[in-house]
Structure formats: C-alpha cells, structure tokens
Amino acid sequence: MTGWKPLPLAVACLVMLGSFALRGQVSPDVPYERLRDAAKEPRNWLTYSGTYFSQRYSLLDQVTPSNVKNLEQKWMYQAGVTGTWQATPLVVDGVMYVSQRPNDVVALDAKTGRVFWIHRYVPPADQKACCGANNRGLAILGDTLYMGTLDARLIAIHTKTGRRLWDVPVIDYQLSYSITHAPLVVKDKVIVGVGGGDLGVRGLIAAFDAKTGKELWRFNTIPAPGEPGHETWEPCPPESSTSLNDANYCDREAWKHGGGSIWLTGSYDPDVNLTYWGVGNVWPDYNNKQRPGDNLFAESVVALDADTGKLRWHFQFTPNGQYDFDAVQIAVLADMNWSGTSGKLMFWANRNGYFYVLDRTNGKFVQGQPFVKLNWASGLSPTGRPMQTPQPLGSITYPGVQGGTNWYSPSFSPRTGLFYVSVWEDYGTYYGVRVPVPYREGRSVSMGANQPYVPIPGAPTIPSIRRGPINNWTEVAGNGAIKALDVRTGQERWKFDTTDVSDSGIMTTASDLLVSGNREGYLQMLDARTGALLWTNNLGGQIVNAPITYMVDGKQYIATISGYALVSFALRD
C-alpha cells in the first residue's frame, strides 16, 4: 500500500466508533452494474451527477408541485469546518456519504442524519490548491469510497468502517497540482483529473485500478510534441521577443505549463464506452499573444476510451482563449431522435455564453445559441468555431470573467425536454492590458493581465465567487437567474430572476419539480414547466452545491448544503 499515511489517534477513534455504529447493518455493495443502471434505482444517488448521463434528473415523484408546500426539515448535520461547502453527497441504501473541507469523509444515516463515522485526511500545510480548499464529492464501487485530495492523491476508504484501504499519489502536489472534483468510477477503474490551471500546471486525466490504486492509463490534456493536438501550440513568430520586458514576448515552451486542468467530474456512455471530460482554461489565462495557436485541449471537451484513455474526439469551445473561459462544465448526455445525428447527444452550457448540442459519438457540432448577453464573438461557424470579436481596450466584454455560467451543475428533464442552468445575466468585465507572464514552477503566478477585474461604470462591486453585501449591488453589475432552454432550438422557454448571482446547481424530478438554491440562502422549488415559484425556505447560509433527492423507507427526501449545514427535507408525516 504505497503512500499510506497513518491516521492520527483522534481520527482512528472516530473510525472505530463508526464501525460500532454500523454494526448490524448490511455493508453497501455497489458493483459496476448498479452504477451503469443507476437511473433504475432513483431511491439512491450513486454518482456525483446522479447517473453516468449527468442529467441530475430523478424518477422520484412523491414530492410534487401540488404538495411541495408540505415539506419540512427532517434533520441537519452541522460541519465542524468553515468555508464554502460545494460537495454533492452520495446516498446508497439508506447511508449518505459526503466530503467536507478540506478532505474529510462523513457517513450518516440518510433518514435521521446520525453520524456513523468521520474519516479525516489532513493535506500538508504547503499544498497549493488553486481557488479554495474545496472538495466536491466522492465515488463508490463495491464497498469502497474514493476521494481526491488537495495534495493530488487518490485514497480509498471502506464504506462500513471508514478505514483507509490505500492511498496513492496522482502527481507531485508541490508543483501546484491538486484534486478538487469527485472521481468517476467506470467498470474497474477510478478516473480523476488534476486542478491548478491558473497556476501554470499541465493538466491530465488518469485511471487507477479500483482495488489496488495502480495507475492504468494517463491522458495529457496539453499534448507534448508527437501527441495529437500539439501542432495547435504554434511556433512563436519571427518578430516576437524572448524578453519578459517586451510586450511582444512569446513563450517558446508554452505547452509545458499550458493549463488545461480538470476540476469537475466527467460523464460516461456505456454503449460507446466513452468518458467525456471538460478541460479548464489555458495558461496564462489572458495573454494569448504569449502562446500562439488554438492551444488544444484547453477549453475543450475530450472523449476518451474508458479502457485505454485514448482520445476518440475533441471539440474546442474557445480556441486560443483570452478570457479564462474554463470548459469544465458538466457534459449532459441524452438520447433523442434528432435528424442528421446518431441520436446520442451532448448538451453543454459553456462558460463562454453559448449553449451547444454535439453528437457525442463523434464530437460533431449540431447547433449552438447564446444563452446570455455576449460580445466576445459574433456567432458560431457551421462547425461550431466561434467568430471572435475581441473588444477594444476600455470596452466591456460580455460575459464577464466568471462567465455566463460556471461550475454549478445544470439539469435536463427528459419529460419537459428543457435544459436548466444557473446563469449570470448581463454581467461584464473590463479586461486590462495583457502582460507577459513568466512561469515559476510550483509558485504562485500571474494570469496574464494587469487588471482583470476592473468594475464597469455604475457597478461599485464586481460579482465574484463570494457572496457580497446586497446594498452595494446595482443592476449594471448583473443579476442571477435560472433559465430553461429548449434543447432543440437553444431558445429560452422561461427565466426565474434572482437578485444576487447564483453558484447553486439544479436538480429536477419526474413530478416536474425543479430544486435549486442561491447565495442568499434560499432553497427554492420551481415548476419545471413554467418557472413558477412553488416553495422557498431560508436556510441562512449561501447554497453553493447542487441539491439531491433520495428515498428511505418509502419517503422521498430532498437534501442540500447551506453554509456549513447539510439539511434534508421530506413531506410532513
């Protein structure tokens, strides 16, 4: 068990108590076949996005638009740590498993909230995870849970006892790598990627043997010489400079630290044996002059053979990016009759402001439409390539640096045919002068602009990834909304406006109920067909995860995280 670290005494005691707490209960057993057919057992929530298709749609229908007013809180678990809590829990046969900051795993009774055990993993103090000490969730196979850590390790934990089974490094964390997303289990493999794109890492996706932790394959999201896609890291032009003091600076080895991180969980289609992963921003984020070419596979989706890790196809949303438009959003899969396609489709609301439909068997562009105000491109070509229109210095670019949407999970309802997404509406950013950026291995680095977050006129505050004081908000700063898009046209069917922007994901059910949250701390239930508000409850803390639903002993529960509290609701008895 290479890399295993002994548990501190206090943590070992928690694990021991957990094993007693679960005595008498059947240890969860989740073979691959259950993961593959997860949609057939909606009482559970078996993957980060519910199923391999990542629709965040549940067949449960006990809670309906007509009785949702009878929801009441059933239990609450209060975390003992602080910071934004972005995790999505798993629920397996009445047991809930959830990660909490920085790398704890908690097992609870999904009916009562009683804690069975807590497994604590303490990353080293010198870990360099970009953008917060987040962990977004877990994966399960058999009787084992899997979690990535802030110091870029993959660990396996026994579901019943909470004991660590193995612990392996994915890559050297001291080079600014981390893992913040929930792993994806496919067959006998655990697949993870690494974060750190804003720190100049070179991204990767790797698969490990679920029983032993042995690495089985690795795919570099930024290709080296001789690998497909490297030709898009073009040579520096003759007139460029090698001096960082020259505005014409060009990095001759830009691909070696080209970004392309992975920080959200991929999707999987068992029929074609492809796993789909969104790839993060290119580095440096803003100075595209420093790295000529399209810069594959940054800001793209890649389709990999799940057995070998070989690239089958890719589609790049924002070539030669200069806006920090990560393409890590969730790939939502659906099977539909659609003329001219295989019927196997992928829906994608991208940070760049466009909603895309792709044929997921070959990556062919089917259609694309803007879903928020944008001006960085004038449209999409017949192949889906953006016709870029960079705005002059001093002009506002829409959408702003946080994008039209970001990492928060969307939902697709096969019943309504609508795609639901949390958006940042009418939100723009001034991008400053692009400046040369030196790469410093394992150290904090600039992203390539001297003033990337300058407020626009009339907006005294800038929407960011943190909740701000509402009295400073103005309409010019933009607002949040939930939008329902018709997947066949890309057109907006309805919109539910909120004052503050939102970081909450969305879940829908077979009773046409839509569940989401917002920064103001409200858990909200909408009619998925009309957008009408049906029920709301102020939980007090911002909701920055995506709600889930599950069933125990014949009762449907809806759970979310607000602030530092995990809360579960069900209909009044």
Side-chain angles (χ1 to χ4, degrees):
M1 290 185 279
T2 304
W4 185 86
K5 299 178 181 179
L7 291 171
L9 178 60
V11 181
C13 291
L14 285 169
V15 172
M16 188 187 306
L17 289 171
S19 65
F20 287 129
L22 278 174
R23 183 169 293 167
Q25 296 193 29
V26 176
S27 181
D29 183 26
V30 185
Y32 162 70
E33 289 74 19
R34 285 187 70 182
L35 297 175
R36 182 193 63 199
D37 301 329
K40 297 178 181 178
E41 47 177 293
R43 69 185 185 280
N44 294 315
W45 196 273
L46 296 180
T47 72
Y48 175 76
S49 295
T51 68
Y52 281 147
F53 274 27
S54 301
Q55 295 178 355
R56 285 190 180 260
Y57 169 81
S58 172
L59 290 172
L60 295 182
D61 60 3
Q62 189 177 93
V63 183
T64 69
S66 61
N67 66 19
V68 68
K69 62 182 180 292
N70 297 320
L71 279 178
E72 65 179 10
Q73 181 181 313
K74 293 299 184 181
W75 58 262
M76 175 185 291
Y77 166 75
Q78 189 76 37
V81 292
T82 60
T84 53
W85 195 358
Q86 300 178 354
T88 291
L90 303 180
V91 178
V92 187
D93 302 333
V95 182
M96 179 181 288
Y97 304 97
V98 64
S99 60
Q100 65 182 22
R101 283 178 167 231
N103 281 131
D104 292 353
V105 179
V106 186
L108 311 99
D109 186 319
K111 183 176 180 179
T112 67
R114 180 169 65 104
V115 175
F116 293 131
W117 52 256
I118 299 175
H119 180 107
R120 177 152 296 149
Y121 179 92
V122 182
D126 62 344
Q127 60 83 15
K128 303 175 177 67
C130 169
C131 315
N134 297 305
N135 184 279
R136 298 184 179 91
L138 310 165
I140 189 169
L141 181 67
D143 60 0
T144 306
L145 296 165
Y146 303 92
M147 176 178 66
T149 68
L150 293 177
D151 57 337
R153 302 182 75 88
L154 180 63
I155 67 175
I157 301 167
H158 193 269
T159 55
K160 185 173 182 179
T161 66
R163 294 188 183 278
R164 197 176 307 171
L165 302 176
W166 51 257
D167 171 352
V168 298
V170 175
I171 197 168
D172 185 357
Y173 77 91
Q174 293 185 326
L175 300 179
S176 300
Y177 289 94
S178 60
I179 301 174
T180 59
H181 67 86
L184 179 71
V185 167
V186 174
K187 301 177 185 178
D188 60 349
K189 299 175 180 65
V190 185
I191 306 174
V192 294
V194 293
D198 289 340
L199 302 176
V201 303
R202 180 182 175 217
L204 64 90
I205 303 166
F208 296 80
D209 185 284
K211 289 191 177 297
T212 66
K214 178 183 177 182
E215 184 174 320
L216 300 175
W217 57 253
R218 178 171 292 212
F219 173 79
N220 294 314
T221 61
I222 304 297
E227 295 178 343
H230 181 75
E231 68 281 0
T232 66
W233 293 79
E234 296 177 1
C236 291
E239 66 274 15
S240 64
S241 171
T242 58
S243 171
L244 286 165
N245 297 318
D246 191 324
N248 290 319
Y249 170 72
C250 184
D251 186 348
R252 268 64 178 168
E253 296 184 322
W255 67 272
K256 289 186 176 180
H257 31 263
S261 62
I262 303 293
W263 49 280
L264 284 181
T265 306
S267 304
Y268 174 62
D269 182 349
D271 289 346
V272 294
N273 196 37
L274 293 181
T275 181
Y276 308 96
W277 294 80
V279 183
N281 58 273
V282 65
W283 186 89
D285 305 38
Y286 309 117
N287 188 6
N288 59 337
K289 191 174 183 179
Q290 183 170 320
R291 38 169 177 77
D294 284 354
N295 307 139
L296 287 175
F297 295 98
E299 303 180 27
S300 305
V301 54
V302 293
L304 307 180
D305 184 295
D307 293 335
T308 65
K310 298 297 184 184
L311 179 70
R312 289 279 193 87
W313 60 259
H314 75 276
F315 181 88
Q316 190 172 41
F317 300 100
T318 312
N320 191 228
Q322 56 178 311
Y323 307 106
D324 195 19
F325 286 159
D326 292 78
V328 297
Q329 297 75 44
I330 300 295
V332 178
L333 314 183
D335 294 336
M336 299 175 64
N337 292 325
W338 195 303
S339 177
T341 75
S342 67
K344 286 183 165 294
L345 303 175
M346 175 185 292
F347 304 137
W348 199 295
N350 194 266
R351 184 168 170 172
N352 69 15
Y354 281 100
F355 173 71
Y356 296 82
V357 180
L358 306 178
D359 186 323
R360 70 176 184 270
T361 65
N362 54 28
K364 297 297 184 183
F365 174 73
V366 177
Q367 71 170 25
Q369 294 289 337
F371 63 92
V372 293
K373 179 179 181 178
L374 61 82
N375 64 2
W376 70 273
S378 61
L380 301 175
S381 76
T383 61
R385 186 180 178 89
M387 296 174 280
Q388 298 199 37
T389 52
Q391 299 303 295
L393 190 66
S395 297
I396 304 170
T397 296
Y398 292 95
V401 68
Q402 291 298 324
T405 190
N406 205 301
W407 64 270
Y408 9 97
S409 295
S411 178
F412 170 70
S413 169
R415 278 177 54 85
T416 65
L418 299 179
F419 181 95
Y420 306 94
V421 58
S422 294
V423 307
W424 289 27
E425 188 86 317
D426 297 328
Y427 154 64
T429 294
Y430 276 135
Y431 286 87
V433 176
R434 272 59 171 178
V435 295
V437 183
Y439 172 69
R440 298 183 176 93
E441 184 175 87
R443 296 171 58 187
S444 179
V445 291
S446 166
M447 295 190 290
N450 64 347
Q451 47 180 25
Y453 304 121
V454 178
I456 64 178
T461 60
I462 309 160
S464 68
I465 57 175
R466 297 290 179 266
R467 186 178 182 183
I470 197 65
N471 56 297
N472 286 341
W473 210 262
T474 70
E475 289 297 319
V476 177
N479 65 279
I482 296 172
K483 287 191 176 184
L485 307 179
D486 186 321
V487 295
R488 292 193 176 274
T489 65
Q491 298 301 307
E492 179 184 309
R493 186 76 66 85
W494 58 256
K495 179 174 70 168
F496 178 80
D497 283 316
T498 59
T499 302
D500 203 342
V501 291
S502 176
D503 302 314
S504 175
I506 297 171
M507 182 264 296
T508 54
T509 74
S511 65
D512 294 338
L513 195 67
L514 181 149
V515 188
S516 189
N518 62 29
R519 285 186 176 183
E520 295 131 302
Y522 288 96
L523 180 63
Q524 300 169 142
M525 313 277 178
L526 309 181
D527 186 309
R529 292 190 178 273
T530 67
L533 179 64
L534 303 171
W535 179 90
T536 187
N537 190 289
N538 190 344
L539 300 180
Q542 61 177 329
I543 297 173
V544 293
N545 85 321
I548 67 166
T549 188
Y550 59 93
M551 181 170 279
V552 181
D553 294 339
K555 183 178 286 290
Q556 181 182 355
Y557 294 80
I558 295 173
T560 194
I561 294 171
S562 171
Y564 312 141
L566 169 58
V567 189
S568 190
F569 292 83
L571 293 175
R572 191 174 299 118
D573 294 328

